[in-house]
Amino acid sequence: MAALKIGKVNWQSKLNKAAHHTSDYSSTELILRRGQPFNISLNLKTTAQSWDNFTFIASTGPSPEESQQTKAVFSLSEEGSNGWSATQESSEPRCLSLSILSPADAVVGRYKLQLQVLAGNKLSSKVLGQFVLLFNPWCPDDDVYMANEKERQEYVLNDSGIIFQGVEKDIQEEAWNYGQFEEDILDISLAVLDRSLNHREDPALDVSRRNSPVYVSRVISATVNSNDDKGVVEGKWSGRFRSGTNPLRWSGSVTILRRWHRARYRPVRYGQCWVFAGVTCTVLRCLGIPTRVITNFNSAHDKNLNLSIDKYIDVSGNNLHLSEDSVWNFHVWNESWFVRRDLGSFYDGWQVLDATPQERSKGIYQCGPASTRAIKEGDVDLDYDSPFVFAAVNADCVTWIRYSKKRKERIYSDTRKIGKFISTKAVGTNARVDVTDNYKYPEGSLKERQVYKKALKLLGVKRPGKRSRIPRSRRGFSRAQPAQTPSISGKLLLDASPVVGQDILLTLTLKNLISDFKTIKVKLKASAILYTRKPKAEILQLHRSVKLGSEEVKEISFKISYSQYKNSLVDDRKILVTAVCQMKRGASLLVEKDIVLQDPFLTIKVLGPAMVHKPVNVEVTFTNPLCEEVTDCVLRAEGSGLLKEQLRICVERMAPMETSTVEFEIIPYRSGTRQLQVDLVCTHFSDIKGFVMLHVAPTQ
């Protein structure tokens, strides 16, 4: 019998990619999803006597083994031991059309497909080619299956999004370019897995475990940060960023991932929580795991996991670093959707992942996946890292004034402050969706109290755990020990919405709640802070004495001038104002106000219809917010499907308060709804950002 010779292999790439929802990947390689058949055709140079002697071998990883599910051997006549199969679709004398099916729990990654043919006593082998196999949210048997098509479009196929930032009373939206389908991003996402500690310790075992979204997502949460394994992004929360990029300057993941790859996997400097979450979302969506970005406002970092965040200040309102606990204005993490075979079906669904390096888990800076159902029910004994996430959304917040080493006073205790307005982008729109109910029962409810006590017990916290309630009429104000009745109340209010470059006008309102005459010493302080609420620079300090008669109300107006804050808010736009109010008798009062300065508007106009491969002009208008000349600004633009590389345009000079217009051309290369981001970068003020959504029509 003559040996069978195989000519051209037709991978039917266009048809397979469309069927597998992978057409958007900018790659000539065949990209498939597991648990779903794909078709190939073999053109034969000789006529086959029988198809029964055809054996296929699909393999992945450095040391493929059938026992580790990294190698599958299967024939046309019977299913392989690992669930792979091949069926003959149709045949002509010299053409064989096949349908090959991978199991829904196959290892994801790059595969090699071989054909072995037995002709008489001679066994010949030919490599047919390679393909990449991804998780499949469209397959009901896949652990990442998501039933709703609109959700699949959002959490797997949407390559842009919104990350919410700011403070709980001033939530702001920031556009982010995920770009999971851009050129090289799939290869880089696979490289993220290959650079993990697990892979370096035992490559074959690591690859064999890549059939599980629990395993893959946990590895990525470790490898996106650089702390243990020279991963993608190096974090930095203090000092200057001269040896890298200020985290506020990033607008998407593509530039970061490419820079990491091109620098031979040297960590990219620098990132903060939204950067880690944005990059993680890109990699997970690229690999086929439904993923979204979550923002938790007033997010607790409970270092000792006792579910209490203790903050100490002195009599002037200065932070005393007597505790490693902290409360961030916001913290950003991810949720991915998959079943939890390790925990039970009750815990299926959204799973928290946090790549920001905060605490070690099993010796490595990684966090999750932690089931949101486990967090809501207080099941903090379940894998992975559920105590840390539970504390982030549920811990108590207690503030103390420390008068001396021997004397301190508890002036503020709040069970409702932590874990507010937990937010994500809506499906199909840029609206904010509040998902707080996924994480906890209503604050102050009986069920919430029961869950909190359950978590304390499971954590073995040996403390009273008193969660003193703040009456609705007093919420937002401060008070002394729970048993005492507050004698004054206070509130800080802005006279107008604060804008970069302008003075900030505030009013402190104090009210005597009882009939006794009061003399109050007020110490006002304003500090530039990071989003972690860590003070960066003192801006203002004022002392006032206020006399209050029976139930009298008085106002103290004060100003933070631009000249006072301009040098402290170059990178960020956040100010914390505190007022410590002390009396000879009775409890002290602490009043706080978070201020986020608003940027001037940046407007973006697309000057005509957008169509694939057709140039269209974009006009950007922006204003120098300062009463002084600024120089050496740069306008940057990026957007998946619109610009293959980030566009940079120099704006050499802008006069005081000058409005400028810049026009540039884009040539869209992908149809559908696209996000174009524009960012004005200047050393004189924090970035001015904007974005526009545009519909790109296919070429007619």
Side-chain angles (χ1 to χ4, degrees):
M1 185 185 295
L4 184 71
K5 294 184 179 179
I6 297 173
K8 185 180 177 182
V9 179
N10 183 356
W11 287 92
Q12 301 185 33
S13 182
K14 190 173 182 179
L15 291 173
N16 282 323
K17 282 186 173 183
H20 286 247
H21 308 278
T22 60
S23 299
D24 285 339
Y25 286 89
S26 300
S27 173
T28 56
E29 198 168 16
L30 182 60
I31 301 164
L32 305 166
R33 299 191 187 274
R34 64 186 191 177
Q36 184 174 337
F38 63 95
N39 297 314
I40 64 171
S41 298
L42 307 181
N43 293 313
L44 311 178
K45 291 183 177 180
T46 56
T47 304
Q49 302 298 314
S50 169
W51 307 121
D52 294 339
N53 52 7
F54 277 42
T55 300
F56 296 91
I57 302 172
S59 59
T60 186
S63 305
E65 295 286 347
E66 286 187 83
S67 61
Q68 292 192 314
Q69 288 191 296
T70 51
K71 179 180 179 182
V73 180
F74 53 101
S75 65
L76 277 173
S77 56
E78 58 185 39
E79 183 179 298
S81 59
N82 284 336
W84 289 73
S85 63
T87 55
Q88 183 178 332
E89 292 291 289
S90 62
S91 67
E92 298 173 9
R94 294 199 175 186
C95 182
L96 174 62
S97 294
L98 302 167
S99 176
I100 297 176
L101 176 65
S102 63
D105 63 349
V107 167
V108 300
R110 181 169 279 106
Y111 277 79
K112 179 173 68 175
L113 184 64
Q114 292 176 272
L115 172 62
Q116 287 185 344
V117 180
L118 182 64
N121 295 322
K122 186 177 180 181
L123 182 68
S124 59
S125 178
K126 179 178 177 60
V127 176
L128 301 179
Q130 291 187 333
F131 60 89
V132 176
L133 194 64
L134 305 177
F135 291 99
N136 192 353
W138 284 265
C139 175
D141 294 326
D142 196 310
D143 283 357
V144 303
Y145 174 64
M146 183 170 260
N148 186 295
E149 175 60 20
K150 288 183 178 179
E151 290 183 346
R152 292 192 293 248
Q153 292 289 325
E154 179 67 47
Y155 300 132
V156 183
L157 300 183
N158 195 350
D159 58 6
S160 67
I162 299 294
I163 300 178
F164 295 98
Q165 299 181 23
V167 295
E168 62 166 305
K169 294 182 180 178
D170 186 11
I171 296 175
Q172 300 173 348
E173 57 182 30
E174 297 285 346
W176 193 266
N177 177 25
Y178 297 121
Q180 67 266 33
F181 303 121
E182 294 303 298
E183 190 174 351
D184 299 329
I185 297 302
L186 176 57
D187 287 341
I188 297 169
S189 296
L190 293 171
V192 171
L193 292 173
D194 288 343
R195 299 297 298 177
S196 71
L197 285 178
N198 293 20
H199 190 76
R200 278 185 269 174
E201 288 172 1
D202 191 335
L205 178 62
D206 168 64
V207 171
S208 74
R209 299 179 70 186
R210 292 182 187 175
N211 64 332
S212 165
V214 175
Y215 178 79
V216 168
S217 63
R218 185 160 172 81
V219 166
I220 288 169
S221 83
T223 315
V224 164
N225 71 68
S226 68
N227 286 48
D228 304 293
D229 42 26
K230 294 185 179 180
V232 181
V233 180
E234 181 178 330
K236 185 177 173 70
W237 282 266
S238 61
R240 297 190 176 274
F241 303 99
R242 287 173 180 165
S243 58
T245 299
N246 185 324
L248 294 164
R249 298 266 161 92
W250 299 116
S251 298
S253 309
V254 176
T255 302
I256 295 171
L257 287 164
R258 284 177 176 165
R259 188 173 295 182
W260 177 70
H261 186 247
R262 290 167 183 170
R264 297 185 178 181
Y265 312 113
R266 187 170 66 245
V268 177
R269 296 175 172 175
Y270 292 102
Q272 292 174 2
C273 66
W274 64 91
V275 180
F276 291 107
V279 173
T280 299
C281 188
T282 296
V283 174
L284 289 170
R285 285 187 184 181
C286 187
L287 297 176
I289 300 177
T291 302
R292 61 189 186 183
V293 174
I294 300 290
T295 304
N296 177 39
F297 290 93
N298 293 347
S299 188
H301 182 175
D302 186 12
K303 186 80 174 177
N304 56 7
L305 291 180
N306 68 346
L307 303 188
S308 178
I309 305 298
D310 293 302
K311 174 185 173 182
Y312 295 88
I313 61 172
D314 63 18
V315 293
S316 297
N318 296 307
N319 275 308
L320 301 175
H321 302 292
L322 302 178
S323 169
E324 293 186 278
D325 293 346
S326 60
V327 178
W328 295 10
N329 281 334
F330 67 90
H331 181 47
V332 185
W333 59 63
N334 299 94
E335 286 179 0
S336 290
W337 178 274
F338 45 81
V339 304
R340 293 301 298 267
R341 298 185 185 277
D342 55 330
L343 302 181
S345 60
F346 179 79
Y347 301 100
D348 293 351
W350 289 115
Q351 314 290 325
V352 174
L353 297 155
D354 191 352
T356 302
Q358 295 182 91
E359 298 294 333
R360 282 189 169 91
S361 170
K362 300 189 185 300
I364 297 173
Y365 282 99
Q366 59 188 346
C367 183
S371 165
T372 56
R373 292 292 297 272
I375 305 306
K376 185 168 184 174
E377 300 301 330
D379 295 328
V380 295
D381 55 334
L382 298 180
D383 286 339
Y384 292 91
D385 310 306
S386 51
F388 187 79
V389 182
F390 184 89
V393 300
N394 277 302
D396 286 354
C397 190
V398 181
T399 303
W400 305 78
I401 286 185
R402 189 170 186 252
Y403 297 101
S404 66
K405 289 184 178 180
K406 294 183 178 180
R407 183 182 168 224
K408 64 181 180 180
E409 176 188 5
R410 186 165 90 164
I411 59 167
Y412 189 86
S413 179
D414 198 344
T415 68
R416 301 168 186 256
K417 179 177 180 177
I418 302 300
K420 302 294 284 292
F421 302 107
I422 304 175
S423 304
T424 194
K425 176 190 173 300
V427 172
T429 75
N430 287 333
R432 185 183 72 87
V433 173
D434 194 300
V435 295
T436 307
D437 287 347
N438 291 357
Y439 283 83
K440 55 186 178 179
Y441 290 95
E443 290 284 7
S445 67
L446 177 61
K447 185 66 174 176
E448 182 263 343
R449 300 282 290 116
Q450 291 171 341
V451 167
Y452 181 83
K453 290 176 180 177
K454 174 184 177 182
L456 280 176
K457 185 176 180 181
L458 287 171
L459 291 172
V461 177
K462 304 293 184 182
R463 68 180 184 87
K466 293 180 180 178
R467 305 192 85 196
S468 51
R469 295 173 182 270
I470 295 178
R472 291 183 183 276
S473 61
R474 305 280 181 253
R475 203 172 304 146
F477 298 104
S478 307
R479 63 175 188 161
Q481 298 291 349
Q484 290 183 274
T485 302
S487 59
I488 60 169
S489 66
K491 206 165 196 177
L492 277 163
L493 294 173
L494 286 163
D495 294 4
S497 182
V499 178
V500 170
Q502 299 180 11
D503 295 344
I504 304 168
L505 304 176
L506 296 107
T507 299
L508 172 65
T509 303
L510 295 175
K511 181 179 181 180
N512 189 352
L513 301 176
I514 60 176
S515 58
D516 293 352
F517 179 83
K518 295 276 184 189
T519 299
I520 304 163
K521 291 182 179 180
V522 180
K523 294 181 179 180
L524 280 160
K525 182 182 176 183
S527 300
I529 61 168
L530 303 172
Y531 80 100
T532 60
R533 293 179 69 85
K534 184 177 180 180
K536 191 166 61 171
E538 187 176 294
I539 295 172
L540 174 73
Q541 199 168 80
L542 294 173
H543 292 187
R544 294 285 188 271
S545 181
V546 180
K547 298 182 186 297
L548 286 179
S550 174
E551 299 183 1
E552 185 179 5
V553 176
K554 281 191 177 178
E555 294 182 344
I556 303 172
S557 296
F558 61 102
K559 177 176 73 173
I560 305 172
S561 67
Y562 168 65
S563 62
Q564 288 174 304
Y565 72 74
K566 71 173 186 177
N567 293 326
S568 302
L569 295 189
V570 172
D571 293 333
D572 213 340
R573 310 185 307 274
K574 297 179 180 66
I575 295 174
L576 175 63
V577 180
T578 61
V580 177
C581 307
Q582 292 178 284
M583 298 154 283
K584 287 185 178 180
R585 295 179 183 176
S588 298
L589 175 75
L590 173 67
V591 187
E592 294 183 314
K593 178 75 174 177
D594 284 290
I595 300 172
V596 181
L597 275 69
Q598 306 300 310
D599 278 330
F601 285 109
L602 179 148
T603 58
I604 309 166
K605 290 183 180 178
V606 182
L607 306 177
M611 187 177 295
V612 172
H613 303 315
K614 302 289 184 182
V616 62
N617 282 3
V618 176
E619 181 185 88
V620 180
T621 304
F622 47 88
T623 301
N624 173 11
L626 308 183
C627 297
E628 56 189 63
E629 181 180 284
V630 298
T631 56
D632 300 325
C633 297
V634 176
L635 189 76
R636 305 186 310 185
E638 70 175 90
S640 287
L642 301 172
L643 291 163
K644 294 200 172 183
E645 296 282 349
Q646 190 180 75
L647 182 69
R648 299 170 66 90
I649 301 170
C650 291
V651 182
E652 293 183 359
R653 176 188 169 279
M654 293 177 68
M657 308 299 288
E658 179 186 358
T659 297
S660 297
T661 298
V662 170
E663 194 170 308
F664 58 88
E665 181 184 89
I666 61 173
I667 304 176
Y669 52 93
R670 199 174 294 138
S671 62
T673 301
R674 300 281 145 210
Q675 183 190 79
L676 176 65
Q677 302 167 37
V678 178
D679 180 9
L680 180 66
V681 178
C682 183
T683 57
H684 302 272
F685 48 79
S686 58
D687 292 14
I688 301 174
K689 295 186 177 185
F691 70 94
V692 65
M693 307 301 295
L694 61 153
H695 180 75
V696 178
T699 304
Q700 294 179 344

